[in-house]
Amino acid sequence: MMPLLLSFPLLVLLPLPVLAQDIQYTLQHNVTNIYGTWSSGSQNVVTGAGFAQPANMSFIYPKTTGMSYSFTSDGYYEIARYRMNGNGTSPNCITGVMNWCHGTYELVSNGSITMTPFGDGYQQIQDPCAAISNFMQNYNDTELYVQWTIYQDPTLGYMLQLYQFDGSPLPPMALLSTSPNMLPTQPLRNVSTASAATKKKRHLEQREMMVERSSSGEPRRLAGGSRALLGGLVILLWSVGMGSVFM
Ligand SMILES: *[C@@H]1O[C@H](CO)[C@@H](O)[C@H](O)[C@H]1NC(C)=O
Ligand SMILES: *[C@@H]1O[C@H](CO)[C@@H](O)[C@H](O)[C@H]1NC(C)=O
Ligand SMILES: *[C@@H]1O[C@H](CO)[C@@H](O)[C@H](O)[C@H]1NC(C)=O
Ligand SMILES: *[C@@H]1O[C@H](CO)[C@@H](O)[C@H](O)[C@H]1NC(C)=O
Ligand SMILES: *[C@@H]1O[C@H](CO)[C@@H](O)[C@H](O)[C@H]1NC(C)=O
Ligand SMILES: *[C@@H]1O[C@H](CO)[C@@H](O)[C@H](O)[C@H]1NC(C)=O
């Protein structure tokens, strides 16, 4: 039914009605299974201890932006994301977002993946033009990916393609290792439910991702000295109950 899949993987932008069909664990759907660690772009972003230190809510910044997903064979996932949001009107106002979470996932029979976080996820937002130019917040969004495929790229090897809640594709991720590189699959810090009340704003998240895909290359991380100015973006986003401005 999808004979071109293996040779033209990037053309697999299926229309939504097709996405709704039942999952197929066939060679056409995934040429290998999803277990392991996947990473986009130049693969400097990788899940595990080299990215997030949940106990003290800190991050180790990768050399370049990107995203990484890990899956165990017994239902656990971890996500590491590092992205920059460009700002056309104010080129100096580049927002950097580091995001980490983990929890349990399910390969749903309708072809989607649901990811339910443990509640200990967090993210750091750096906006040199915001009133608060650098802050941490809890991140605990349940995520839905309406479809996924795994194909083999001639040079990069196995590639995981995830489609977001609205069907739009994420950047493809290459398989780094078949054994997942992950932090322990349990809550790694205590979060009070009151402070974890960040709710989903996926439309916002979606727009952020669009920005990334349309920008060329992978910008380097914010210079330390550029974080001190004021502006409205983060406040605005926060005030609509954000929690999900990440890549
Ligand atoms: C597939 O199942 C998930 C989980 O139950 C649900 O959220 C999603 O809407 C379903 N997708 C379709 C296309 O029905
Ligand atoms: C596709 O992925 C599923 C889940 O990881 C796995 O059970 C199945 O064996 C995979 N199919 C192939 C052909 O590897
Ligand atoms: C957080 O903890 C790690 C060890 O787990 C340590 O290496 C790091 O310096 C700490 N970071 C901060 C900001 O305290
Ligand atoms: C995180 O989200 C999950 C799934 O919605 C929920 O069960 C859990 O209570 C949340 N945890 C916190 C600390 O808010
Ligand atoms: C959470 O708090 C409880 C009680 O103080 C403690 O026993 C537990 O080790 C803490 N868990 C983590 C992951 O820090
Ligand atoms: C760009 O920066 C300006 C000035 O700080 C700000 O008002 C505007 O909201 C920003 N736009 C985006 C898309 O971030």
Side-chain angles (χ1 to χ4, degrees), residues 130-175:
I132 304 170
S133 61
N134 185 352
F135 63 91
M136 288 282 183
Q137 63 181 185
N138 292 316
Y139 175 82
N140 191 38
D141 284 7
T142 297
E143 300 186 29
L144 169 68
Y145 297 87
V146 295
Q147 183 61 285
W148 58 282
T149 58
I150 297 171
Y151 60 90
Q152 194 150 22
D153 181 275
T155 53
L156 297 171
Y158 292 125
M159 304 294 292
L160 172 62
Q161 178 68 71
L162 294 174
Y163 295 86
Q164 299 178 87
F165 70 98
D166 63 351
S168 63
L170 286 181
M173 292 179 282
L175 183 62

Side-chain angles (χ1 to χ4, degrees), residues 53 55-59:
Q53 296 167 331
N56 58 14
M57 262 181 110
S58 67
F59 287 109

Side-chain angles (χ1 to χ4, degrees), residues 2 10 16 24-25 37 45 48-49 51 58 67 90 94 107 154 161 167 172 175-177 197 201 211 214 221 237:
M2 293 186 286
L10 294 178
L16 277 171
Q24 305 165 24
Y25 290 149
T37 292
V45 178
F51 183 85
S58 67
M67 63 179 69
S90 305
I94 298 170
L107 301 178
Q161 178 68 71
L175 183 62
L176 283 189
S177 63
K201 279 285 177 291
V211 171
S214 64
R221 77 186 186 94
L237 296 179

Side-chain angles (χ1 to χ4, degrees), residues 7-18:
S7 41
F8 299 99
L10 294 178
L11 296 182
V12 188
L13 306 180
L14 302 176
L16 277 171
V18 177

Side-chain angles (χ1 to χ4, degrees), residues 18-96:
V18 177
L19 293 181
Q21 74 192 4
D22 280 350
I23 192 165
Q24 305 165 24
Y25 290 149
T26 66
L27 217 52
Q28 283 163 337
H29 180 80
N30 53 316
V31 294
T32 188
N33 64 49
I34 199 170
Y35 318 133
T37 292
W38 305 83
S39 178
S40 71
S42 48
Q43 302 177 354
N44 287 314
V45 178
V46 181
T47 52
F51 183 85
Q53 296 167 331
N56 58 14
M57 262 181 110
S58 67
F59 287 109
I60 300 168
Y61 273 75
K63 284 203 291 264
T64 57
T65 56
M67 63 179 69
S68 175
Y69 286 63
S70 284
F71 302 92
T72 69
S73 57
D74 59 350
Y76 295 100
Y77 77 95
E78 181 177 329
I79 306 175
R81 293 178 272 223
Y82 175 33
R83 72 172 319 278
M84 295 284 182
N85 299 334
N87 183 330
T89 47
S90 305
N92 293 331
C93 299
I94 298 170
T95 305

Side-chain angles (χ1 to χ4, degrees), residues 89-106:
T89 47
S90 305
N92 293 331
C93 299
I94 298 170
T95 305
V97 181
M98 290 282 282
N99 172 280
W100 176 86
C101 59
H102 65 169
T104 58
Y105 75 95
E106 187 186 352

Side-chain angles (χ1 to χ4, degrees), residues 112-123:
S112 66
I113 306 180
T114 56
M115 300 187 194
T116 307
F118 286 136
D120 57 346
Y122 59 99
Q123 63 187 6

